[in-house]
Amino acid sequence: VVDAMSSITIGALESPWLTFLCTLVFIIIARRVFAVDNRSHKATPSEDEEEEVFPDPMPAGDMTRRELAKYDGSDETKPILIAAKGVVYDVTRGRDFYGKGGPYNCFTGIDCSRALGKVSLDKENLCADVKDFAASERDVLNDWVAKFNAKYPVVGKLTDGKYNGKF
């Protein structure tokens, strides 16, 4: 009887479909046994990683250019703000891009409409003057504004802004 069972078991395991099925069942059982329930455990940063801390969100409200200039990313305890088309956005969550030392830090604390439309980091374009924009530059600026609207909270408007576009 034992020899008969052995030959049946060995013969069954030689079937590729049965081997596949056994492997699949083993993987499913192993995943359930060793799985961690992520719903009940909050992810904790490792010892090497620190959880990024952001300042409190900027309260909504209109502001002057002088007030906006105080939020240029140089003080990590303050939100980081930019303006485009006269609208002020809190881009603090994009600190890696807009914070001190970031590639787009030059846009912060000002209305950078011209630089956005021209896709420029040049100092002479770091302003709100768009009166000479071509249609393609207006479209690029509008694309940037749409991205900001989708990604960052609007704080308010510049009360003394120099944005001179109608689009």
Side-chain angles (χ1 to χ4, degrees), residues 58-64 67 81 87-89 154-159:
M58 184 71 184
D62 295 344
M63 63 179 53
T64 65
E67 290 169 321
L81 306 180
V87 178
V88 180
Y89 298 91
V154 172
V155 173
K157 294 186 178 197
L158 286 176
T159 57

Side-chain angles (χ1 to χ4, degrees), residues 120-135:
S120 170
L121 300 175
D122 296 337
K123 192 170 187 161
E124 66 269 9
N125 289 320
L126 295 174
C127 63
D129 181 15
V130 297
K131 67 179 173 274
D132 62 342
F133 264 21

Side-chain angles (χ1 to χ4, degrees), residues 90-146:
D90 184 337
V91 297
T92 307
R93 295 246 175 233
R95 181 184 297 166
D96 292 343
F97 295 105
Y98 301 104
K100 186 176 181 181
Y104 303 124
N105 178 251
C106 60
F107 295 161
T108 62
I110 62 169
D111 187 324
C112 59
S113 297
R114 183 176 191 82
L116 292 171
K118 289 197 168 282
V119 190
S120 170
L121 300 175
D122 296 337
K123 192 170 187 161
E124 66 269 9
N125 289 320
L126 295 174
C127 63
D129 181 15
V130 297
K131 67 179 173 274
D132 62 342
F133 264 21
S136 61
E137 293 167 322
R138 286 193 309 265
D139 291 344
V140 171
L141 174 57
N142 288 332
D143 286 345
W144 275 106
V145 169

Side-chain angles (χ1 to χ4, degrees), residues 47-63:
E47 291 179 13
D48 295 337
E49 296 176 20
E50 290 184 23
E51 189 173 333
E52 191 165 8
V53 177
F54 295 103
D56 290 335
M58 184 71 184
D62 295 344
M63 63 179 53

